[in-house]
Amino acid sequence: MSAALGWMCLTDLPVPDELAALLDHLATHETAQLMAPLPWMRAAEHAAGNGLQRCLRTMLHPDTPDAEDRRDDPWS
């Protein structure tokens, strides 16, 4: 999960379908709980969901209202 998030941060390439499917499969509540102590996940937490879900939603679907409302947020 961390490597996939890192790759998505470092490139402007579209996320391959296989990677998107893997992220959907691995982005469980348990994974979010394991990643929650990370500083960037704590900073990304939002009323709309945990940090992992918010990161994925913002990175995979940048046109969502949460992403648009937080454009100045360095973690989005």
Side-chain angles (χ1 to χ4, degrees):
M1 181 64 67
S2 295
L5 290 172
W7 180 83
M8 292 180 350
C9 288
L10 293 173
T11 184
D12 290 333
L13 296 173
V15 176
D17 292 339
E18 297 85 8
L19 181 57
L22 181 66
L23 291 171
D24 281 342
H25 179 71
L26 294 176
T28 63
H29 179 70
E30 291 79 17
T31 304
Q33 284 183 315
L34 289 170
M35 296 182 79
L38 299 170
W40 54 91
M41 286 297 159
R42 284 195 316 267
E45 286 179 2
H46 189 266
N50 61 53
L52 177 60
Q53 293 297 329
R54 182 170 178 230
C55 283
L56 290 174
R57 184 175 53 252
T58 302
M59 295 173 94
L60 296 173
H61 309 287
D63 296 331
T64 61
D66 180 49
E68 289 178 2
D69 292 342
R70 309 276 297 189
R71 281 192 194 144
D72 60 340
D73 182 352
W75 300 104
S76 35

